[in-house]
Amino acid sequence: DMKVTQMPRYLIKRMGENVLLECGQDMSHETMYWYRQDPGLGLQLIYISYDVDSNSEGDIPKGYRVSRKKREHFSLILDSAKTNQTSVYFCASSLSGDKYAEQFFGPGTRLTVL
Amino acid sequence: GEQVEQRPPHLSVREGDSAVITCTYTDPNSYYFFWYKQEPGASLQLLMKVFSSTEINEGQGFTVLLNKKDKRLSLNLTAAHPGDSAAYFCAVRPNQGGSAKLIFGEGTKLTVSS
């Protein structure tokens, strides 16, 4: 069953706390992504990972870092979260080497930073 | 780099009417295009993907048109029904040597009333 999973689905944190968002996929996709989606807006790419320990900044990487130690797992870390990082975060994966490959999206994590 | 503009941001139609969402892009060499549907509170699901070599693609209840000359991609929902109420996003894969990124439009929130 091709699936992208995200944990947790909902998270409330206080400003200054650390946040860890987890993403998993069972399709052996090399490429994985983290996006955020704010109300009324499209998706903004935070980081892209081409494989284990091969990560690149997206369009809005400031305030975030990522970790990919296994192909099937991709983590997003917020060190000292800020209120403007309140958003819905989506993880996605795709098959690399295939330009026609679509991205498969996880269910999202709704993060609130108070 | 590639830029994508999606219009309209909001669209309200009655059941049975057609609904048209349009995206324009800037890079004439872009070759791969995607439409995603996001139901309220849910993740993004692929609706259709198209090559630039195919101008008309028909799905279940919708048609995707690609005008390469005008660099315009459109999604036409024929005879919309309330179940089509969702946000729709176009995405373009830049033709930049092996890029895995997708450039997303800002989305259209479609409301279909009965």
Side-chain angles (χ1 to χ4, degrees):
Chain A
D1 189 22
M2 301 191 298
K3 190 181 286 188
V4 178
T5 58
Q6 290 185 238
M7 291 293 289
R9 295 293 313 280
Y10 301 90
L11 187 61
I12 299 175
K13 287 286 193 177
R14 293 193 180 277
M15 191 170 58
E17 291 184 328
N18 298 332
V19 176
L20 173 64
L21 305 184
E22 306 265 29
C23 175
Q25 49 98 2
D26 62 1
M27 296 169 279
S28 298
H29 285 167
E30 297 91 342
T31 310
M32 297 186 74
Y33 313 78
W34 277 107
Y35 294 91
R36 65 177 281 175
Q37 183 181 40
D38 297 315
L41 295 179
L43 296 165
Q44 298 175 277
L45 180 65
I46 305 171
Y47 267 94
I48 182 171
S49 174
Y50 294 99
D51 212 330
V52 172
D53 285 330
S54 180
N55 307 316
S56 293
E57 295 181 345
D59 301 318
I60 54 162
K62 189 177 178 181
Y64 304 93
R65 62 184 174 93
V66 292
S67 175
R68 188 144 180 229
K69 298 301 181 185
K70 292 183 179 181
R71 179 171 284 185
E72 62 268 25
H73 290 132
F74 190 33
S75 301
L76 180 70
I77 301 121
L78 289 67
D79 295 313
S80 187
K82 301 172 180 56
T83 55
N84 63 7
Q85 292 178 308
T86 292
S87 188
V88 180
Y89 291 86
F90 286 100
C91 175
S93 72
S94 69
L95 192 63
S96 67
D98 178 358
K99 283 193 172 184
Y100 200 42
E102 70 265 34
Q103 293 181 13
F104 291 83
F105 284 83
T109 294
R110 185 175 295 274
L111 172 66
T112 302
V113 182
L114 302 175
Chain B
E2 175 71 273
Q3 295 181 46
V4 178
E5 184 173 343
Q6 184 173 342
R7 292 287 183 267
H10 300 277
L11 182 59
S12 293
V13 301
R14 289 192 175 275
E15 185 173 9
D17 289 348
S18 64
V20 180
I21 302 169
T22 301
C23 289
T24 55
Y25 57 97
T26 56
D27 185 353
N29 296 314
S30 288
Y31 202 75
Y32 303 92
F33 306 88
F34 305 80
W35 280 103
Y36 283 88
K37 178 182 180 181
Q38 184 182 29
E39 295 183 353
S43 187
L44 282 79
Q45 300 291 327
L46 181 72
L47 202 59
M48 180 169 281
K49 53 184 180 179
V50 297
F51 284 118
S52 71
S53 60
T54 307
E55 294 184 341
I56 300 175
N57 291 265
E58 294 188 358
Q60 197 165 8
F62 61 89
T63 302
V64 170
L65 301 176
L66 176 63
N67 183 323
K68 290 180 285 183
K69 175 176 175 290
D70 293 340
K71 298 192 288 293
R72 180 180 295 123
L73 179 72
S74 65
L75 172 67
N76 186 343
L77 284 80
T78 53
H81 56 85
D84 291 328
S85 294
Y88 292 83
F89 295 89
C90 64
V92 179
R93 172 158 284 134
N95 193 24
Q96 296 165 1
S99 172
K101 291 176 66 173
L102 287 180
I103 309 300
F104 283 85
E106 295 210 339
T108 297
K109 185 176 180 182
L110 173 66
T111 303
V112 183
S113 57
S114 55

